[in-house]
Amino acid sequence: MKVAIFGPFPPPVFGESLSNKVLENYLKEREVKVQIFDSSSDLSNIGKLNLYKIFSNIKLIYKFYKKRKEIDVLYSTMSQSKLGFIKCYPIYKICQMNNIPYIIHLKGNLLPKTFSESNFLLKRLILDVLNNSKGVIVLTRSIKEQDLYQTLVSNVYIVNNFVEEPFFVDIRKKLKIIKNRNKLKILYLSNLIRSKGIIDLLKAAIILKKRNVNFELNIAGLYSSKEEEQECEKLMNQLGESVKYHGFVNGSEKKRLLEENHVFILPTYYPQEGQPISILESMASGNIVVTTRHSGIPDVIKEG
């Protein structure tokens, strides 16, 4: 079987691009032929249109059209914004016209809002793509229970997010780390986007410092814009030695941070949030998780 994967791949690294890479590796290990159609965009340009992105998208669609006879099935993490959907719509139309079965994996929870705010024509196109797929995958039960998936789309399935095996920490090792602590170690592990709650977290940390709480805040992730970088740096300067910025981390460095910290915080209200992999990784690493009642998070985190 020849499988095509359409969606973002690292870099940049975030939940959706990471999961696509994991799937690619999984299929290749089982000697499945995989074609990659990478729709990645720079974090700072997400949701913005420019000539380079238009040209790149046309090239990607043309590449898919040329390779269409070599594809048995398409797996796609579909973009859920209006502009993102319009960009990838031709890919699904090529599949329909060439009898290529396709599966759509929605790695967030923006589509119901996009659908409700769309005009009649765009709603018809969205339903055409969803209902002609072999399956629409969502992340959690609460996402599936929304009106769009309950009343207008018939083939919706739940597949929860995952944690890669190396991030599971032996509970005895974690208890030893907690027992031997000399200060509270707090971790933020996500891209540094305002709606992911990074500014809120830094302001809260300043309050902790004023109250003489002995803590160390570790922040890892990429900035999404120059403006947010400048605002974060200004707040970090007020925290002094109480904060450490690690930049982008992966592999052994990411595993070390997850192991060595005690509390993981992600106060997200990100519009496209689904079920953050970073929360699941933190649970697997034995951290206390502090997060928001947002999107699919309440399906895996309960108060207390």
Side-chain angles (χ1 to χ4, degrees):
M1 178 177 280
K2 298 171 184 175
V3 177
I5 303 177
F6 173 73
F9 282 77
V13 175
F14 53 98
E16 188 176 337
S17 65
L18 172 64
S19 64
N20 282 336
K21 188 63 183 176
V22 169
L23 177 62
E24 178 194 3
N25 294 340
Y26 177 87
L27 293 173
K28 285 182 175 179
E29 285 170 5
R30 283 147 187 82
E31 299 183 349
V32 175
K33 292 183 179 178
V34 182
Q35 287 259 19
I36 300 302
F37 297 89
D38 184 3
S39 63
S40 292
S41 177
D42 188 271
L43 279 172
S44 61
N45 287 319
I46 289 176
K48 298 176 183 177
L49 191 64
N50 56 50
L51 287 175
Y52 174 77
K53 287 176 72 173
I54 293 170
F55 181 67
S56 297
N57 194 63
I58 291 170
K59 278 179 63 179
L60 190 61
I61 293 167
Y62 180 63
K63 177 186 174 184
F64 186 84
Y65 177 78
K66 283 178 63 180
K67 298 283 187 179
R68 69 194 187 283
K69 293 181 180 178
E70 302 172 26
I71 297 168
D72 294 322
V73 63
L74 170 69
Y75 168 88
S76 168
T77 50
M78 188 179 85
S79 179
Q80 298 179 57
S81 66
K82 288 181 185 180
L83 180 60
F85 173 79
I86 290 167
K87 280 170 52 186
C88 60
Y89 177 75
I91 297 288
Y92 304 117
K93 212 63 198 169
I94 291 168
C95 287
Q96 292 176 13
M97 293 171 68
N98 290 273
N99 296 315
I100 300 169
Y102 61 91
I103 296 165
I104 292 172
H105 199 158
L106 298 172
K107 288 284 187 173
N109 190 27
L110 184 64
L111 191 60
K113 184 174 186 289
T114 297
F115 183 82
S116 68
E117 294 176 354
S118 296
N119 58 34
F120 176 77
L121 176 59
L122 190 54
K123 284 181 177 177
R124 289 290 299 270
L125 294 181
I126 292 171
L127 291 177
D128 171 62
V129 167
L130 297 180
N131 285 316
N132 280 293
S133 70
K134 290 297 180 183
V136 176
I137 300 171
V138 296
L139 294 171
T140 72
R141 174 186 49 79
S142 62
I143 292 176
K144 185 182 177 181
E145 288 174 352
Q146 293 175 93
D147 287 345
L148 172 62
Y149 306 123
Q150 288 293 307
T151 61
L152 298 173
V153 184
S154 58
N155 51 346
V156 183
Y157 306 92
I158 298 170
V159 177
N160 297 132
N161 257 336
F162 62 92
V163 178
E164 293 177 272
E165 191 172 345
F167 295 113
F168 283 87
V169 175
D170 184 276
I171 190 65
R172 290 165 296 184
K173 183 178 181 180
K174 189 70 179 192
L175 287 171
K176 188 176 180 180
I177 290 170
I178 294 169
K179 187 177 179 181
N180 294 332
R181 73 188 186 279
N182 56 11
K183 58 184 168 183
L184 181 66
K185 298 186 76 172
I186 303 167
L187 176 64
Y188 174 95
L189 180 62
S190 187
N191 288 312
L192 278 69
I193 300 170
R194 177 180 289 276
S195 58
K196 288 277 188 177
I198 181 60
I199 303 299
D200 305 272
L201 175 58
L202 288 168
K203 288 180 177 178
I206 290 170
I207 294 171
L208 287 182
K209 187 173 183 183
K210 287 178 180 176
R211 293 180 179 177
N212 297 315
V213 176
N214 188 17
F215 72 93
E216 176 185 291
L217 174 59
N218 291 285
I219 295 173
L222 294 172
Y223 288 106
S224 61
S225 71
K226 195 67 181 174
E227 292 77 17
E228 284 168 327
E229 181 177 358
Q230 291 170 349
E231 190 170 359
C232 285
E233 286 180 350
K234 185 178 177 181
L235 294 169
M236 286 184 198
N237 287 337
Q238 296 181 52
L239 287 166
E241 294 182 357
S242 296
V243 65
K244 292 181 180 178
Y245 175 56
H246 301 266
F248 168 72
V249 297
N250 203 7
S252 59
E253 178 63 9
K254 181 179 176 181
K255 177 178 170 64
R256 182 188 67 79
L257 281 173
L258 285 164
E259 278 187 4
E260 291 181 358
N261 282 271
H262 312 126
V263 178
F264 172 82
I265 300 183
L266 185 69
T268 178
Y269 41 97
Y270 183 55
Q272 299 190 49
E273 199 72 82
Q275 186 185 62
I277 289 177
S278 59
I279 286 180
L280 304 182
E281 290 170 339
S282 298
M283 294 168 71
S285 302
N287 291 295
I288 295 169
V289 176
V290 180
T291 186
T292 41
R293 196 177 280 106
H294 177 59
S295 191
I297 294 173
D299 289 319
V300 291
I301 297 288
K302 291 184 179 178
E303 184 71 28

